[in-house]
Amino acid sequence: MKLSTKSRYGVRAMFDMAYHAGTLPAQIKDISRRQNISPRYLEQIFQDLKKAGLLKSRRGPQGGYSLAKPADEITVKDIVLAAEGELQLVDCVKNRRKKGEKAPACDFDNRCLTQHLWAKGSQLLGDYFDSVSLKDLCDQGKELGLEKELDHRFMYFI
Amino acid sequence: MKLSTKSRYGVRAMFDMAYHAGTLPAQIKDISRRQNISPRYLEQIFQDLKKAGLLKSRRGPQGGYSLAKPADEITVKDIVLAAEGELQLVDCVKNRRKKGEKAPACDFDNRCLTQHLWAKGSQLLGDYFDSVSLKDLCDQGKELGLEKELDHRFMYFI
DNA sequence: ATGAATCTCTACTTCTATTGTCAAGAATAA
DNA sequence: TTATTCTTGACAATAGAAGTAGAGATTCAT
């Protein structure tokens, strides 16, 4: 019942971008250094986030990534959903048999009490994550007095 | 971010026991048949639940397992906690360095925004699971008209 | 045009936890 | 005393997570 590192790294990286947003796109190497995440791995995560429409990118010198939407329109749920693929505590809740997918763990359809239980838990979690935007995190960061990176000697961590 | 099968099977099995509670202890072979769970695997799960004080057992003929407490005093959270070991969406929230445990993924202690985020999500989930008892599930089962097993031809599933 | 910087895509590896299976042993009731 | 049932620990198969790697495509500055 753990979130994958993709979700955790994804949220941290996206927060980092929102917190340091400047005129230029942010580059993998800077984000990965500040957040202590393997740059190669972060690339993959950013591909997922881009596919989900949360990031846009630009190649070449001075290129990098930037948020595709304002920080108050990107929620933690968006990021977790993009990184995790879905937000369900169990698989048996999913629509069954969407083309060739392996059989669900449970075929009991309606007559299943616990299905409802897990679905509602997933929903609760999703609603909470949807209530927190990157902007909210940035505001919290400011309150906490997290340093924005001005010089590289000062490493902050989220 | 999936619950393990131990949690799912555990809840289903415990519900099964509560729903069919009789004068005699319930046996692995019956529960596993009704719930379609491998009996050998269910044994292991029941060991966890017993260690957590949710089940008691009796060996020998006519032996089996029975609930250690009334159904309204056992919550889904109890079961998930026993099966899952803990109820945290991320590891970095845990108390660090309790004797020789592998290093936490994150050493950033207080200066971590996302830590609070995941902790609160875990808490929400835990609170919800704690609000549902086995008795609640049984009541739902009755409303749904789930058959109690009177003869074996009729298989119900939760 | 050229070359360096940067993202893009795909494949591969390594590690760990999950999800079981198995066998021998201990307790109990009849 | 014997069949029944739980107990315990070891073991194996599988899947998924996490990270690494290389070749390619795009863009900018000169």
Side-chain angles (χ1 to χ4, degrees):
Chain A
M1 219 214 25
K2 298 280 180 265
L3 283 167
S4 71
T5 56
K6 282 197 172 182
S7 295
R8 294 195 292 115
Y9 292 175
V11 171
R12 274 167 50 193
M14 293 286 278
F15 163 81
D16 185 282
M17 293 179 65
Y19 204 61
H20 294 92
T23 52
L24 291 175
Q27 295 182 351
I28 291 270
K29 67 178 177 190
D30 291 322
I31 301 172
S32 71
R33 175 176 40 74
R34 288 193 296 245
Q35 294 296 328
N36 196 27
I37 298 170
S38 148
R40 288 326 273 292
Y41 193 36
L42 194 53
E43 278 176 15
Q44 283 186 64
I45 298 172
F46 272 18
Q47 291 307 311
D48 292 336
L49 297 176
K50 192 185 171 187
K51 274 179 203 133
L54 304 178
L55 289 180
K56 54 190 178 188
S57 62
R58 181 184 196 107
R59 293 201 257 201
Q62 311 305 315
Y65 291 89
S66 41
L67 300 183
K69 296 187 282 188
D72 60 348
E73 293 178 20
I74 298 179
T75 71
V76 171
K77 181 182 180 183
D78 294 329
I79 303 172
V80 172
L81 216 43
E84 210 81 8
E86 61 176 19
L87 215 158
Q88 292 292 342
L89 291 172
V90 298
D91 278 335
C92 67
V93 174
K94 284 190 295 191
N95 291 339
R96 341 183 167 289
R97 298 294 150 72
K98 35 180 172 181
K99 57 168 175 158
E101 194 166 290
K102 71 184 165 191
C106 157
D107 278 316
F108 307 157
D109 271 327
N110 299 328
R111 312 168 61 87
C112 183
L113 287 177
T114 53
Q115 206 173 68
H116 176 253
L117 189 67
W118 309 131
K120 186 160 174 188
S122 310
Q123 173 93 41
L124 275 176
L125 209 51
D127 288 348
Y128 169 59
F129 287 158
D130 206 35
S131 76
V132 182
S133 71
L134 283 183
K135 181 170 183 303
D136 296 330
L137 289 178
C138 288
D139 292 345
Q140 288 179 38
K142 280 173 199 148
E143 277 176 32
L144 273 175
L146 286 192
E147 294 289 327
K148 302 205 183 189
E149 181 171 72
L150 296 175
D151 75 328
H152 287 181
R153 293 168 310 166
F154 199 122
M155 299 291 282
Y156 68 93
F157 306 102
I158 65 163
Chain B
M1 218 212 32
K2 298 279 181 270
L3 285 165
S4 72
T5 57
K6 280 196 175 184
S7 295
R8 296 196 290 115
Y9 292 175
V11 171
R12 275 167 49 194
M14 293 285 278
F15 163 81
D16 186 282
M17 293 180 63
Y19 204 60
H20 295 91
T23 52
L24 291 175
Q27 295 182 353
I28 291 269
K29 64 177 178 189
D30 290 323
I31 301 170
S32 71
R33 176 176 41 75
R34 288 193 295 245
Q35 294 297 327
N36 196 28
I37 298 170
S38 146
R40 288 335 255 305
Y41 192 34
L42 195 51
E43 277 175 16
Q44 280 186 69
I45 297 171
F46 272 17
Q47 289 308 311
D48 292 335
L49 296 176
K50 190 184 172 187
K51 275 179 202 134
L54 305 178
L55 288 180
K56 55 189 178 188
S57 61
R58 181 186 196 105
R59 294 201 257 200
Q62 310 306 316
Y65 291 91
S66 42
L67 300 183
K69 295 187 283 190
D72 60 349
E73 291 178 23
I74 299 179
T75 71
V76 171
K77 182 182 181 184
D78 293 330
I79 303 171
V80 172
L81 217 45
E84 209 82 11
E86 62 177 18
L87 216 156
Q88 292 292 342
L89 291 172
V90 298
D91 279 335
C92 68
V93 174
K94 285 190 294 191
N95 291 340
R96 333 175 174 295
R97 300 291 150 69
K98 35 179 172 181
K99 57 167 175 155
E101 195 166 289
K102 69 187 164 192
C106 159
D107 278 315
F108 307 156
D109 270 329
N110 298 331
R111 311 166 61 85
C112 184
L113 288 177
T114 53
Q115 206 173 68
H116 175 252
L117 189 66
W118 309 132
K120 186 160 172 191
S122 310
Q123 173 91 42
L124 276 175
L125 210 50
D127 288 348
Y128 169 58
F129 287 156
D130 206 35
S131 76
V132 182
S133 72
L134 283 185
K135 179 168 183 305
D136 297 329
L137 289 179
C138 288
D139 291 345
Q140 287 178 39
K142 279 172 201 150
E143 278 177 30
L144 272 176
L146 286 192
E147 295 289 329
K148 302 206 182 189
E149 182 171 71
L150 297 176
D151 75 326
H152 285 181
R153 291 168 311 164
F154 200 124
M155 299 290 281
Y156 67 95
F157 306 102
I158 64 163

